[in-house]
């Protein structure tokens, strides 16, 4: 007999969509078996019920056996041995169908009992186990949903323990049920063959014993054939018994080994976190936006495949792409009222997904796995070897110095806590500088006796330390922070570019006219790192906007450093290692004497450094055009105000002239005392009116002279 297809009982605890899909195939096979055996049972029952219908029932049985090879069983359709065996049985039954007489007792014991037992006991057991498994699966899903909704703000220890106990009970019940269900389905493949062969064998034996003339109808060849079939049935039974014992032992072992895994949040001391994974699978809750402020969570099966994060719903045939995790960033987040949440952001920052793990251990393992895949870390090496390899690749991109041992002595720290780079000039660069640097001395590029800073100091701590040292002198932060509160740049900036960078170091420089100062700074910083075994690098997100450059903590999204774009005077990448780039920052009031402080910052990026420099250049151009537009608008506004003011002055002047003209007319009318008025009366002016007229006349003359 060929091998039997089986369900993987060892994968029942994980309950993956692949296992569910395979279970669906076995269930379809069970339905096909049930349908076929139902017809076979009816056929044999007709033989048992009516002797007159024996010939027709035997003929129908023979026909069904011939049609076996036409049946499409998902797991047993290609069994050539079984098909040929049944064909031979069909031939024999068809030959004997005209002369068979049924002996009711023999047929009831040898033919009807095995198939009835298979139909009413074995197939019924499968149906009951399927219903129990479905109920246990629904209870487990409900328990997991209640556990996922546990509040971390209003945590109730009693409710938490009840929910966790519910998850433990439902998961254990589901695991035990599905293991027994799988074992019954596996055993069904054996029982199917026995239920087919045993009734036929009993039927043939009843016919032989019933007919005294059996020897005339059955030759020695058919007897040998029946003997071989009986031996084959016994072999299948022994194989089934052996497999049943092995399966039962496997179930017991899996129950004992899986008991700690039933708890949704296991003790980290018993099951430690594995941070060296490069592949991870399991169920996670993913958040979907359902409105402007509302969201919903859905439980799906997630797995990593290459550099992609895939998800698959229960019942789906295959998984779908969720996110490209190559060069992405991942961090733990606080999300609404759920625990163990983390966020994965694509390398370009345009797409992000928020997921919820089942436990803190699961959350940390997912974060570590995605970080390992994103950064392409070879886990066979220890962290020191990884860091040494990264810095060695960076050192190979710069020009080595022949007097390396002499510089090593000058790099050795004596009384200060931070290492200082050698600034000896000719000894450090003799015979190793590029043609552009050969004409310049190190003192003309880099400030002598300047320490190299390898870590990013928080602006808040820098401000406090500056205040503690200099008091009210108002010394500014060498990173470009003024210490005072500044409003954040507008969120509607034209340019927003995000890059993943690692800070290598910074140091004060002198020259800012040529990109050679950045290359020299890279060489000295990388050499100092190699000499002093400094391999740790701070990873940040560099945000380039039209107003400033920001270094953002990828974990907390807090701004570490902020450089005004106007203070960036130079930006360039390395000529050979394009992943290295740097920029020179000039700040005012950086020293106590009020002189400018010029600092060169060096970074390593996952992207091409030239692209980052192009983004900085584009941001400066946009800022320059914006400033020119602003100045042009301001100048036009001033001209418009001046024109409006001039128009107001002209209107005032015209009003004054009009008033003076009116006063002149009144004065002229009052200078003719003998002229009667319109009503025959004479107009007589008083002394005060005469004085007013004289004053108005003088004002008119003065206005005319000014005009």
């Amino acid at each position: 007999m060929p091998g039997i297809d089986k369900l993987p009982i060892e994968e029942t605890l994980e309950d993956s969509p692949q296992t569910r899909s395979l279970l669906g195939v076995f269930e379809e096979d069970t339905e096909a078996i049930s349908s076929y055996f139902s017809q076979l049972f009816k056929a044999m029952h007709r033989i048992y019920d009516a002797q007159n219908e024996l010939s027709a029932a035997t003929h129908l049985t023979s026909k069904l056996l011939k049609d076996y090879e036409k049946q499409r069983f998902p797991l047993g359709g290609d069994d050539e041995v079984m098909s040929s065996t049944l064909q031979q049985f069909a031939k024999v039954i068809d030959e004997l169908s005209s002369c068979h007489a049924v002996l009711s007792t023999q047929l009831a014991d040898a033919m009807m009992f095995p198939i009835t037992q298979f139909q009413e006991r074995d197939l019924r057991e499968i149906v009951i186990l399927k219903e129990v498994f479905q109920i246990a699966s629904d209870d487990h899903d409900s328990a997991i949903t209640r556990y996922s909704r546990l509040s971390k703000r209003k945590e109730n220890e009693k409710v938490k323990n009840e929910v966790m106990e519910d998850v433990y009970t439902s998961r254990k019940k589901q695991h035990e049920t599905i293991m027994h269900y799988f074992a019954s389905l596996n055993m069904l493949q054996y029982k199917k063959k026995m239920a087919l062969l045993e009734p036929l064998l009993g039927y043939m034996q009843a016919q032989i014993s019933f007919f005294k003339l059996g020897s005339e109808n059955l030759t020695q060849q058919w007897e040998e054939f029946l003997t071989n079939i009986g031996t084959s049935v016994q072999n299948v039974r022994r194989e089934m018994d052996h497999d049943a014992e092995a399966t039962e032992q496997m179930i017991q072992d899996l129950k004992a080994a899986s008991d700690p895994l039933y708890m949704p949040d296991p003790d980290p001391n018993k099951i430690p976190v594995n941070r060296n994974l490069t592949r991870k699978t399991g169920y996670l809750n993913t958040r979907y936006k359902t409105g402007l402020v509302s969201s919903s969570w859905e439980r799906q099966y997630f797995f990593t495949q290459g550099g992609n994060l895939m998800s698959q719903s229960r019942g789906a045939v295959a998984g779908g792409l969720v996110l490209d995790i190559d060069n992405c960033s991942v961090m733990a987040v606080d999300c609404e009222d759920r625990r163990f949440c983390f966020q994965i952001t694509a390398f370009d920052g345009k797409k992000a997904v928020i997921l919820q793990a089942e436990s803190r251990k699961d959350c940390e393992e997912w974060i570590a796995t995605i970080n390992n895949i994103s950064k392409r870390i070879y886990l066979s090496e220890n962290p020191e070897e990884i860091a040494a390899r990264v810095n060695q690749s960076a050192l190979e991109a710069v020009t080595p110095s022949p007097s390396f041992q002499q510089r090593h002595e000058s790099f050795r720290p004596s009384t200060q806590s931070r290492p200082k780079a050698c600034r000896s000039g000719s000894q450090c660069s003799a015979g190793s500088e590029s043609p552009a640097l050969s004409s310049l001395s190190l003192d003309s590029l880099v400030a002598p006796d300047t320490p190299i800073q390898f870590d990013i100091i928080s602006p808040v701590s820098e401000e406090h330390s500056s205040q503690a040292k200099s008091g009210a002198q108002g010394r500014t932060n060498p990173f470009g922070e003024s210490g005072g509160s500044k409003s954040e740049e507008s969120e509607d900036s034209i340019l927003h570019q995000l890059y993943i960078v690692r800070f290598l170091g910074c140091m004060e420089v002198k020259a800012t006219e040529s990109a050679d100062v950045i290359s020299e700074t890279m060489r000295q910083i990388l050499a100092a790192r190699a000499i002093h075994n400094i391999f740790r690098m701070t990873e940040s997100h560099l945000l380039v906007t039209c107003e400033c450059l920001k270094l953002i903590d990828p974990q907390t999204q807090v701004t570490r450093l902020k450089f005004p774009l106007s203070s960036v005077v130079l930006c360039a990448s390395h000529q050979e290692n394009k992943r290295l780039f740097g920029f020179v920052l000039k700040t005012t009031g950086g020293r106590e004497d009020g002189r400018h402080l010029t600092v060169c910052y060096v970074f390593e990026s996952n992207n091409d450094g030239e692209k980052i420099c192009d983004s900085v250049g584009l941001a400066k151009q946009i800022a320059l055009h914006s400033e020119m537009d602003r100045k042009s608008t301001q100048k036009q506004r001033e001209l418009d105000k001046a024109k409006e003011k001039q128009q107001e002055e002209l209107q005032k002047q015209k009003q004054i002239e009009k008033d003076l003209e009116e006063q002149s007319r009144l004065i002229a009318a009052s200078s003719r005392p003998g002229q009667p008025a319109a009503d025959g009366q004479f107009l007589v002016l008083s002394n005060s009116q005469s004085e007013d007229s004289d004053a108005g006349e003088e004002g008119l003359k003065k206005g005319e002279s000014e005009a």
Side-chain angles (χ1 to χ4, degrees):
M1 290 290 178
I4 302 297
D5 294 321
K6 300 178 183 179
L7 284 168
I9 299 178
E10 62 274 9
E11 297 179 6
T12 53
L13 180 59
E14 186 178 11
D15 193 18
S16 65
Q18 290 81 359
T19 306
R20 287 294 184 101
S21 299
L22 186 59
L23 175 61
V25 177
F26 273 76
E27 289 176 346
E28 292 178 3
D29 183 75
T30 303
E31 294 177 359
I33 292 173
S34 178
S35 177
Y36 177 76
F37 272 85
S38 177
Q39 299 179 45
L40 186 61
F41 176 81
K42 292 179 180 179
M44 292 187 174
H45 197 273
R46 289 180 63 183
I47 298 174
Y48 175 75
D49 287 341
Q51 182 177 359
N52 296 329
E53 298 179 358
L54 179 59
S55 297
T58 309
H59 181 72
L60 178 60
T61 303
S62 176
K63 184 177 181 299
L64 288 174
L65 295 177
K66 291 179 180 179
D67 293 338
Y68 176 81
E69 60 181 2
K70 299 178 182 179
Q71 298 293 326
R72 294 294 178 262
F73 298 110
L75 297 178
D78 297 333
D79 192 348
E80 297 293 339
V81 177
M82 193 69 182
S83 298
S84 61
T85 303
L86 294 179
Q87 290 298 322
Q88 296 182 32
F89 268 117
K91 183 179 179 180
V92 175
I93 294 172
D94 188 53
E95 292 176 355
L96 298 177
S97 61
S98 60
C99 60
H100 278 177
V102 179
L103 184 59
S104 299
T105 304
Q106 291 181 343
L107 291 179
D109 296 336
M111 184 182 68
M112 296 304 299
F113 177 77
I115 193 170
T116 303
Q117 191 178 32
F118 175 77
Q119 182 110 4
E120 297 180 358
R121 187 188 67 181
D122 299 329
L123 292 180
R124 182 61 181 170
E125 180 185 5
I126 296 295
V127 175
I128 295 175
L129 285 176
K130 181 179 179 180
E131 295 176 355
V132 173
F133 163 69
Q134 189 62 41
I135 295 173
S137 181
D138 295 339
D139 293 341
H140 177 254
D141 291 342
S142 300
I144 285 294
T145 302
R146 290 194 299 273
Y147 173 77
S148 301
R149 292 176 179 173
L150 281 177
S151 174
K152 67 176 182 179
R153 298 176 182 173
K154 299 180 180 180
E155 187 170 357
N156 191 329
E157 192 66 24
K158 181 179 179 181
V159 174
K160 177 182 176 182
N161 292 335
E162 291 177 357
V163 172
M164 293 179 67
E165 184 65 23
D166 191 11
V167 173
Y168 173 85
T169 304
S170 61
R171 182 170 292 175
K172 183 177 181 180
K173 180 180 178 181
Q174 182 195 22
H175 189 204
E176 293 178 356
T177 303
I178 195 173
M179 284 193 296
H180 289 291
Y181 184 35
F182 279 22
S184 298
L185 289 176
N186 291 337
M187 294 301 105
L188 185 64
Q189 303 305 314
Y190 297 100
K191 294 178 181 179
K192 175 186 69 175
K193 297 183 178 183
M194 291 189 302
L196 273 172
L197 299 178
E198 283 184 347
L200 300 175
L201 183 61
Y203 177 76
M204 295 301 299
Q205 290 176 348
Q207 293 290 347
I208 293 173
S209 61
F210 182 77
F211 291 105
K212 296 181 178 180
L213 300 178
S215 60
E216 298 177 1
N217 297 329
L218 298 176
T219 62
Q220 184 68 24
Q221 179 181 359
W222 289 114
E223 291 180 357
E224 293 178 358
F225 168 72
L226 296 177
T227 303
N228 293 334
I229 294 300
T231 304
S232 178
V233 171
Q234 295 299 324
N235 292 335
V236 173
R237 181 179 295 278
R238 284 195 296 268
E239 185 179 355
M240 184 192 70
D241 294 339
H242 177 73
D243 198 351
E245 293 178 0
T247 301
E248 184 63 27
Q249 183 62 37
M250 180 185 297
I251 291 176
Q252 297 299 328
D253 295 341
L254 290 175
K255 286 172 60 177
S258 303
D259 189 74
L261 302 178
Y262 296 145
M263 189 64 64
D265 192 6
D267 188 0
N269 296 326
K270 297 181 180 179
I271 307 178
V273 179
N274 188 358
R275 304 183 186 277
N276 297 327
L277 297 174
T278 56
R279 294 181 60 189
K280 180 71 175 173
T281 60
Y283 281 96
L284 296 173
N285 291 330
T286 178
R287 189 180 72 169
Y288 292 99
K289 285 287 186 180
T290 58
L292 294 177
V293 295
S294 60
S295 61
S296 63
W297 295 82
E298 181 179 351
R299 191 166 183 258
Q300 292 185 354
Y301 186 81
F302 285 80
F303 58 94
T304 58
Q305 187 176 38
N308 299 322
L309 178 65
M310 313 288 289
S311 69
Q312 186 174 359
S313 301
R314 184 176 293 178
V317 179
L321 176 64
V322 177
L323 192 67
D324 182 5
I325 56 178
D326 192 13
N327 293 329
C328 73
S329 61
V330 58
M331 60 181 177
V333 294
D334 288 334
C335 185
E336 298 175 355
D337 197 23
R338 297 215 173 196
R339 307 179 302 165
F340 314 134
C341 293
F342 60 97
Q343 175 176 318
I344 308 174
T345 306
F347 70 96
D348 54 1
K350 295 182 179 179
K351 184 177 180 182
V353 293
I354 296 179
L355 304 172
Q356 181 192 15
E358 189 175 278
S359 62
R360 185 180 302 278
K361 169 184 174 295
D362 200 20
C363 179
E364 293 179 1
E365 287 185 350
W366 272 106
I367 293 176
T369 302
I370 294 175
N371 275 327
N372 293 340
I373 297 175
S374 174
K375 298 179 181 179
R376 306 296 187 192
I377 293 180
Y378 297 94
L379 298 176
S380 60
E381 301 176 357
N382 54 41
E384 290 76 8
E385 293 176 349
I386 296 172
R389 188 182 67 255
V390 172
N391 286 275
Q392 181 63 28
S393 63
L395 282 173
E396 291 174 355
V398 299
T399 307
S401 174
S403 56
F404 193 74
Q405 295 297 332
Q406 298 178 4
R407 298 189 63 188
H408 175 71
E409 296 298 328
S410 63
F411 269 100
R412 189 180 301 278
S414 57
T415 58
Q416 300 190 11
S417 60
R418 291 186 177 272
K420 293 186 178 183
C422 174
R423 306 288 178 262
S424 59
S426 60
Q427 291 183 357
C428 294
S429 59
S432 63
E433 300 298 331
S434 63
L437 287 175
S438 61
S439 60
L440 298 174
S441 64
L442 293 178
D443 292 339
S444 63
L445 296 176
V446 181
D449 198 23
T450 300
I452 299 175
Q453 187 166 308
F454 298 108
D455 294 326
I456 297 179
I457 299 179
S458 173
V460 177
S461 61
E462 184 74 15
E463 177 185 356
H464 290 327
S465 62
S466 175
Q467 291 178 357
K469 291 183 180 180
S470 59
Q473 293 180 2
R475 180 177 179 181
T476 59
N477 195 332
F479 287 99
E481 297 289 337
S482 61
S485 61
K486 291 186 178 181
S487 61
E488 296 291 333
E489 67 274 6
S490 61
E491 295 297 332
D492 56 351
S493 178
I494 300 176
L495 181 66
H496 277 86
Q497 294 290 338
L498 189 68
Y499 301 97
I500 299 176
V501 299
R502 287 171 289 279
F503 181 70
L504 295 177
C506 67
M507 59 186 300
E508 185 180 354
V509 296
K510 283 186 175 182
T512 59
E513 295 80 9
S514 173
D516 296 334
V517 64
I518 297 180
S519 299
E520 174 61 20
T521 304
M522 290 179 182
R523 187 180 68 82
Q524 295 195 17
I525 288 177
L526 292 176
R529 277 181 169 272
I531 290 174
H532 294 281
N533 295 326
I534 301 176
F535 301 129
R536 184 176 60 86
M537 294 181 289
T538 303
E539 183 173 289
S540 304
H541 289 175
L542 176 63
L543 179 63
V544 181
T545 65
C546 298
E547 290 82 11
C548 64
L549 303 181
K550 273 187 176 183
L551 284 179
I552 302 174
D553 190 338
Q555 300 292 332
T556 61
Q557 299 297 316
V558 175
T559 301
R560 289 173 171 167
L561 297 178
K562 177 180 176 183
F563 309 108
L565 197 62
S566 58
S567 62
V568 180
V569 297
L570 188 62
C571 183
S573 62
H574 199 273
Q575 295 180 357
E576 297 180 5
N577 189 351
K578 298 301 182 181
R579 296 176 61 186
L580 297 179
F581 74 98
F583 56 83
V584 179
L585 181 72
K586 180 179 289 187
T587 60
T588 58
R591 297 179 178 272
E592 296 181 0
D593 53 5
R595 291 186 300 162
H596 291 290
L597 178 65
T598 306
V599 183
C600 181
Y601 297 85
V602 180
F603 298 89
E604 181 188 22
S605 173
N606 294 338
N607 308 95
D608 193 348
E610 292 183 357
K611 294 182 180 179
I612 301 178
C613 295
D614 292 341
S615 297
V616 176
L618 179 61
K620 290 182 72 68
Q621 291 181 6
I622 295 175
L624 177 61
H625 288 297
S626 300
E627 182 66 20
M628 293 176 62
D629 293 341
R630 187 187 64 80
K631 290 183 178 179
S632 176
T633 305
Q634 184 178 1
K635 185 176 180 181
Q636 184 65 33
R637 191 180 293 111
E638 292 177 355
L639 291 175
D640 293 341
K641 288 183 179 180
K643 187 179 291 185
E644 291 177 0
K645 187 175 182 181
Q646 186 177 3
Q647 291 292 336
E648 292 177 359
E649 293 293 337
L650 290 176
Q651 292 293 336
K652 290 181 180 179
Q653 187 67 25
K654 289 181 180 180
Q655 185 65 32
I656 292 173
E657 291 177 356
K658 186 177 180 181
D659 294 342
L660 291 175
E661 184 179 354
E662 182 68 24
Q663 291 180 4
S664 299
R665 188 180 64 79
L666 293 175
I667 292 171
S670 64
S671 63
R672 295 189 295 273
Q675 183 178 359
D679 55 355
Q681 300 294 330
F682 289 96
L683 180 62
V684 180
L685 297 175
S686 63
N687 293 333
S688 60
Q689 290 177 338
S690 300
E691 291 175 358
D692 292 339
S693 300
D694 295 339
E697 200 173 294
E698 291 178 0
L700 178 60
K701 292 180 180 179
K702 184 177 180 181
E704 291 176 353
S705 63
E706 291 178 355

PDB file of all heavy atoms in Angstrom, residues 7 47 95 188 214 259 265 327 400 460 486 693:
ATOM      1  N   LEU A   7      -2.323  14.916   8.336  1.00  0.00           N
ATOM      2  CA  LEU A   7      -2.325  16.294   8.819  1.00  0.00           C
ATOM      3  C   LEU A   7      -1.205  16.471   9.842  1.00  0.00           C
ATOM      4  O   LEU A   7      -0.986  15.583  10.676  1.00  0.00           O
ATOM      5  CB  LEU A   7      -3.669  16.631   9.472  1.00  0.00           C
ATOM      6  CG  LEU A   7      -4.837  16.894   8.517  1.00  0.00           C
ATOM      7  CD1 LEU A   7      -6.140  16.908   9.290  1.00  0.00           C
ATOM      8  CD2 LEU A   7      -4.646  18.214   7.789  1.00  0.00           C
ATOM      9  N   ILE A  47     -28.609  -6.046  -0.576  1.00  0.00           N
ATOM     10  CA  ILE A  47     -28.281  -7.473  -0.612  1.00  0.00           C
ATOM     11  C   ILE A  47     -28.784  -8.171   0.640  1.00  0.00           C
ATOM     12  O   ILE A  47     -29.321  -9.297   0.587  1.00  0.00           O
ATOM     13  CB  ILE A  47     -26.765  -7.666  -0.776  1.00  0.00           C
ATOM     14  CG1 ILE A  47     -26.293  -7.058  -2.092  1.00  0.00           C
ATOM     15  CG2 ILE A  47     -26.374  -9.128  -0.700  1.00  0.00           C
ATOM     16  CD1 ILE A  47     -24.788  -7.086  -2.274  1.00  0.00           C
ATOM     17  N   GLU A  95     -19.360 -11.864 -11.989  1.00  0.00           N
ATOM     18  CA  GLU A  95     -19.509 -13.252 -12.442  1.00  0.00           C
ATOM     19  C   GLU A  95     -20.412 -14.050 -11.522  1.00  0.00           C
ATOM     20  O   GLU A  95     -21.158 -14.949 -11.951  1.00  0.00           O
ATOM     21  CB  GLU A  95     -18.135 -13.913 -12.524  1.00  0.00           C
ATOM     22  CG  GLU A  95     -17.246 -13.355 -13.627  1.00  0.00           C
ATOM     23  CD  GLU A  95     -15.860 -13.982 -13.616  1.00  0.00           C
ATOM     24  OE1 GLU A  95     -15.592 -14.784 -12.687  1.00  0.00           O
ATOM     25  OE2 GLU A  95     -15.064 -13.654 -14.503  1.00  0.00           O
ATOM     26  N   LEU A 188      -8.803   8.091   9.577  1.00  0.00           N
ATOM     27  CA  LEU A 188      -9.867   7.827   8.615  1.00  0.00           C
ATOM     28  C   LEU A 188      -9.312   7.318   7.290  1.00  0.00           C
ATOM     29  O   LEU A 188      -9.994   6.552   6.584  1.00  0.00           O
ATOM     30  CB  LEU A 188     -10.687   9.101   8.388  1.00  0.00           C
ATOM     31  CG  LEU A 188     -11.919   8.963   7.485  1.00  0.00           C
ATOM     32  CD1 LEU A 188     -12.936   8.024   8.114  1.00  0.00           C
ATOM     33  CD2 LEU A 188     -12.536  10.327   7.219  1.00  0.00           C
ATOM     34  N   GLY A 214     -18.413 -23.811  -4.510  1.00  0.00           N
ATOM     35  CA  GLY A 214     -17.509 -22.665  -4.656  1.00  0.00           C
ATOM     36  C   GLY A 214     -16.207 -23.020  -5.331  1.00  0.00           C
ATOM     37  O   GLY A 214     -15.604 -22.194  -6.028  1.00  0.00           O
ATOM     38  N   ASP A 259       2.334  23.485  27.215  1.00  0.00           N
ATOM     39  CA  ASP A 259       1.612  24.061  28.345  1.00  0.00           C
ATOM     40  C   ASP A 259       2.067  25.484  28.670  1.00  0.00           C
ATOM     41  O   ASP A 259       1.230  26.357  28.903  1.00  0.00           O
ATOM     42  CB  ASP A 259       1.757  23.155  29.570  1.00  0.00           C
ATOM     43  CG  ASP A 259       0.847  23.583  30.704  1.00  0.00           C
ATOM     44  OD1 ASP A 259      -0.374  23.344  30.611  1.00  0.00           O
ATOM     45  OD2 ASP A 259       1.361  24.178  31.680  1.00  0.00           O
ATOM     46  N   ASP A 265       0.789  35.928  27.877  1.00  0.00           N
ATOM     47  CA  ASP A 265       1.946  36.765  28.225  1.00  0.00           C
ATOM     48  C   ASP A 265       2.842  35.963  29.160  1.00  0.00           C
ATOM     49  O   ASP A 265       2.762  36.083  30.378  1.00  0.00           O
ATOM     50  CB  ASP A 265       1.471  38.050  28.897  1.00  0.00           C
ATOM     51  CG  ASP A 265       2.603  39.069  29.014  1.00  0.00           C
ATOM     52  OD1 ASP A 265       3.691  38.799  28.472  1.00  0.00           O
ATOM     53  OD2 ASP A 265       2.396  40.128  29.640  1.00  0.00           O
ATOM     54  N   ASN A 327      15.191  48.661   4.880  1.00  0.00           N
ATOM     55  CA  ASN A 327      15.592  50.012   5.298  1.00  0.00           C
ATOM     56  C   ASN A 327      14.455  50.767   5.982  1.00  0.00           C
ATOM     57  O   ASN A 327      14.422  52.003   5.948  1.00  0.00           O
ATOM     58  CB  ASN A 327      16.106  50.835   4.106  1.00  0.00           C
ATOM     59  CG  ASN A 327      17.396  50.307   3.556  1.00  0.00           C
ATOM     60  OD1 ASN A 327      18.200  49.756   4.296  1.00  0.00           O
ATOM     61  ND2 ASN A 327      17.599  50.453   2.259  1.00  0.00           N
ATOM     62  N   PRO A 400      44.296  56.686   3.649  1.00  0.00           N
ATOM     63  CA  PRO A 400      44.981  56.362   4.904  1.00  0.00           C
ATOM     64  C   PRO A 400      46.199  57.256   5.111  1.00  0.00           C
ATOM     65  O   PRO A 400      46.729  57.843   4.179  1.00  0.00           O
ATOM     66  CB  PRO A 400      45.382  54.893   4.722  1.00  0.00           C
ATOM     67  CG  PRO A 400      45.505  54.733   3.246  1.00  0.00           C
ATOM     68  CD  PRO A 400      44.487  55.646   2.624  1.00  0.00           C
ATOM     69  N   VAL A 460      18.673  70.229  25.201  1.00  0.00           N
ATOM     70  CA  VAL A 460      18.275  70.665  26.535  1.00  0.00           C
ATOM     71  C   VAL A 460      19.433  70.549  27.505  1.00  0.00           C
ATOM     72  O   VAL A 460      19.745  71.458  28.263  1.00  0.00           O
ATOM     73  CB  VAL A 460      17.077  69.827  27.019  1.00  0.00           C
ATOM     74  CG1 VAL A 460      16.685  70.217  28.427  1.00  0.00           C
ATOM     75  CG2 VAL A 460      15.914  70.011  26.056  1.00  0.00           C
ATOM     76  N   LYS A 486      11.586  78.578  20.382  1.00  0.00           N
ATOM     77  CA  LYS A 486      11.272  78.959  19.011  1.00  0.00           C
ATOM     78  C   LYS A 486      10.040  78.205  18.567  1.00  0.00           C
ATOM     79  O   LYS A 486       9.830  77.062  18.906  1.00  0.00           O
ATOM     80  CB  LYS A 486      12.438  78.643  18.064  1.00  0.00           C
ATOM     81  CG  LYS A 486      13.658  79.525  18.289  1.00  0.00           C
ATOM     82  CD  LYS A 486      14.690  79.236  17.232  1.00  0.00           C
ATOM     83  CE  LYS A 486      15.923  80.120  17.385  1.00  0.00           C
ATOM     84  NZ  LYS A 486      16.917  79.858  16.350  1.00  0.00           N
ATOM     85  N   SER A 693     -11.021 137.708   8.434  1.00  0.00           N
ATOM     86  CA  SER A 693     -10.799 137.820   6.984  1.00  0.00           C
ATOM     87  C   SER A 693      -9.351 138.101   6.680  1.00  0.00           C
ATOM     88  O   SER A 693      -8.768 137.548   5.747  1.00  0.00           O
ATOM     89  CB  SER A 693     -11.691 138.929   6.412  1.00  0.00           C
ATOM     90  OG  SER A 693     -13.045 138.643   6.629  1.00  0.00           O
TER      91      SER A 693
END
